[in-house]
């Protein structure tokens, strides 16, 4: 660059670099939160987000390197326009996702490819534009006559790293849980606009103020439209987009359904606490109570959701109930919208594995695992080490039940989990509805693990219509386990996302 840079203070370049780097990482974190209501929060979601954002940064850095070769004032002005484009694309991200989210997922049958295409379509351009300023600002910094080039370059690299750290922390601990994704993107848009205005000021004389102002107003208008549109979430927590749907019309009595991200996590009726509205909760209820009999028993639930089974058991007064629900906002929603009386049970705002590990002297007659959903599964809750922890917290006659969702054509996830459970428990049974699967169906299974098999092989329960559920033949379970052998799910290796999502 031929123009002297002594008039641009290094500290100002450092601040600009840190700010742009910070908000670009905010967008990366927000991307995962925004995609969750469409595709869930899985390994594939974050892999796609990180890959797309890094691809955008890389192309943006390459582009910025070419811009940095221009005279300083022209490079600054050009970068200002790029940041206006970053503001527009960031402000539009939520609206664009709402427009293309459904059609993309309908058109792309494979769930993993759907995640990748949707992520690229919404978040590549914001990352591309955010990557341009770094080389330009670095070039101007090293051209400073009164500061050694090495010191300037080091300061710019440090500013980028510090900004990225700050953006990540602010997004995860402040912006998303306290403001939500829409307001967070509006703040990012505003910061891009301020940075663009500052670059135009540094590039003065700047003669296109009217055009730049018009583009800025457009970005503000788009951001305002996103903010004022009806929220997609009833509540947005640190973990989930929580939606409460009133489905009273389907049943004729007050009934509500809980949707976390893109999956239904339970349905409950106001005046029918013992009625189950899903196959797996009906199996949990019928199998556990059938095994444990009429005597009081203690229960530990991995996950709360609508607290359907805990609420039913509290109404039956089956005994002490403990529920580990990691998201306090889910519990608040259950109390507010799903008629939960939290005084009837002990609720822990903890990850279930942490909760069990912290209470080594506590024993339960039944532990119920309800952490399975589509291709978004907490891998640390399906490993051999976790099942060993569960077994150590059961009484001598205790039983562990967990739900699994898989495709009957593959059953890769079911076979791996069954094999892993069989390495810990003497008896592992696979229960499901007593009917033939339909082609392409995601089938719900309940695994029952204990030291002794269940004394009965079938039950009839309402879900909410009466349905018959049965244990698969032991020969089927043995063949399924043999299919997974010798691979077991461990803390070191638990590819549950791949087993559920299939292969490319």
């Amino acid at each position: 660059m031929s123009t002297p840079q002594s008039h641009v203070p290094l500290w100002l370049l450092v601040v600009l670099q840190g700010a742009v780097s910070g908000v670009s990482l905010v967008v990366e974190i927000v991307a995962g939160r925004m995609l969750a209501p469409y595709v869930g929060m899985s390994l594939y979601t974050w892999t796609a987000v990180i890959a797309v954002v890094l691809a955008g940064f890389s192309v943006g850095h390459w582009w910025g390197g070419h811009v940095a070769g221009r005279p300083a004032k022209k490079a600054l002005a050009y970068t200002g326009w790029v940041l206006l484009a970053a503001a527009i694309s960031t402000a539009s991200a939520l609206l664009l996702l709402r427009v293309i989210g459904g059609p993309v997922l309908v058109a792309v049958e494979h769930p993993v490819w759907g995640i990748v295409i949707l992520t690229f379509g919404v978040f590549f351009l914001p990352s591309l534009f955010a990557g341009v300023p770094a080389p330009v600002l670095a070039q101007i910094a090293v051209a400073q006559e009164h500061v050694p080039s090495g010191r300037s370059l080091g300061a710019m690299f440090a500013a980028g790293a510090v900004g990225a750290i700050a953006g990540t922390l602010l997004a995860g601990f402040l912006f998303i849980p306290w403001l939500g994704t829409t307001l967070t993107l509006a703040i990012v848009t505003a910061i891009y606009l301020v940075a663009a205005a500052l670059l135009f000021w540094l590039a003065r004389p700047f003669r296109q103020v009217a055009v730049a102002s018009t583009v800025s107003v457009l970005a503000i208008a788009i951001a305002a439209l996103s903010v004022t549109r009806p929220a997609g979430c009833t509540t947005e927590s640190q973990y989930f987009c929580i939606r409460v749907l009133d489905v009273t019309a389907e049943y004729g009595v007050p009934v509500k359904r809980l949707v976390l991200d893109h999956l239904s996590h339970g349905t409950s009726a106001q005046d029918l606490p013992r009625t189950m509205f899903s196959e797996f909760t009906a199996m949990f209820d019928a199998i556990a109570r059938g095994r444990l009999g009429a005597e009081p028993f203690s229960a530990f639930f991995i996950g709360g959701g609508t607290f359907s089974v805990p609420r039913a058991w509290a109404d039956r007064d089956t005994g002490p109930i403990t529920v580990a629900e990691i998201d306090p906002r889910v519990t608040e929603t259950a109390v507010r919208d799903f008629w939960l009386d939290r005084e009837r049970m002990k609720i822990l705002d903890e990850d279930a594995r942490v909760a069990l590990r912290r209470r080594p002297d506590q024993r339960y007659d039944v532990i119920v695992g309800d952490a399975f959903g589509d291709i978004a599964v907490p891998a640390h809750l399906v490993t051999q080490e976790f099942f060993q922890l569960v077994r150590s917290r059961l009484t001598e006659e205790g039983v562990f039940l967990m739900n699994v969702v898989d495709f009957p054509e593959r059953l890769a996830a079911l076979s791996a989990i069954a094999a892993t459970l069989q390495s810990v428990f003497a008896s592992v049974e696979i229960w499901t509805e007593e009917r033939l699967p339909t082609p392409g169906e995601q089938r719900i299974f309940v695994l029952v693990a204990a030291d002794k098999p269940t004394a009965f092989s079938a039950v009839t329960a309402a879900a909410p219509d009466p349905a018959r559920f049965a244990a698969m033949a032991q020969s089927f379970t043995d063949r399924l386990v043999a299919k997974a052998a010798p691979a077991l799910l461990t803390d070191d290796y638990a590819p549950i996302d791949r087993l559920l999502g299939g292969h490319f």
Side-chain angles (χ1 to χ4, degrees), residues 383-394 420-421 423-425:
T383 66
Q384 185 179 49
E385 291 85 350
F386 176 66
F387 294 150
Q388 290 169 343
L389 174 64
V390 167
R391 190 176 188 277
S392 71
R393 300 299 186 262
L394 287 171
T420 306
L421 275 170
S423 72
V424 177
F425 291 90

Side-chain angles (χ1 to χ4, degrees), residues 51-260:
V52 167
V53 170
L54 289 179
F57 288 166
S58 299
V59 177
H61 292 333
W62 173 84
W63 181 10
H66 286 270
V67 176
R70 301 184 177 196
K73 291 184 181 296
K74 290 184 177 180
L76 288 169
Y78 191 102
T79 306
W81 289 112
V82 170
L83 286 182
L84 287 183
I88 291 285
S89 59
T90 300
S92 305
L94 187 59
L95 298 176
L96 178 61
L97 181 59
R98 289 176 176 175
V99 170
I100 72 172
V104 167
L105 295 178
V106 169
V108 182
E109 183 176 349
H110 197 291
V112 177
W113 280 116
I115 292 171
V116 172
I117 293 171
L118 197 58
T119 305
F120 185 88
V122 178
F123 297 105
F124 178 76
L125 284 180
S127 302
L128 168 67
F129 297 134
V132 173
V136 176
L137 298 176
Q139 174 62 30
I140 294 175
V142 298
Q144 299 285 340
E145 297 178 351
H146 59 286
V147 182
S149 60
R151 176 183 166 189
S152 299
L153 195 59
M156 297 301 289
F157 273 98
V162 171
I165 294 169
T168 302
L169 294 175
L170 286 171
F173 293 120
L174 179 63
F175 290 151
I176 295 175
W178 290 96
L179 301 178
T181 54
T182 306
L183 279 176
T184 298
L185 288 182
I187 290 172
V188 170
T189 299
I191 292 174
Y192 278 141
L193 292 177
V194 171
L198 189 55
L199 289 175
F200 290 142
W201 178 75
L202 291 173
R204 61 189 186 278
F206 179 68
R207 298 181 177 85
Q208 296 173 298
V209 175
V211 178
S213 299
T214 301
V215 175
S216 299
V217 170
L218 177 62
I220 294 171
I222 295 173
L225 179 61
S226 296
V227 170
T228 55
R229 278 180 63 89
C233 311
T234 305
T235 304
E236 191 169 8
S237 74
Q238 295 164 291
Y239 299 95
F240 302 110
C241 168
I242 303 171
R243 287 178 285 169
V244 178
L245 308 179
D246 191 330
V247 292
T248 297
E250 295 182 25
Y251 300 99
V253 295
V255 179
K256 293 183 180 180
R257 180 169 297 138
L258 176 69
V259 178
L260 301 182

Side-chain angles (χ1 to χ4, degrees), residues 265-284:
H265 274 254
T267 304
S268 290
Q270 179 177 5
D271 301 318
L272 301 170
R274 301 184 185 185
T275 299
M276 298 295 112
F277 287 84
S278 62
E279 297 172 10
F280 72 92
T281 54
M283 283 188 275
F284 284 160

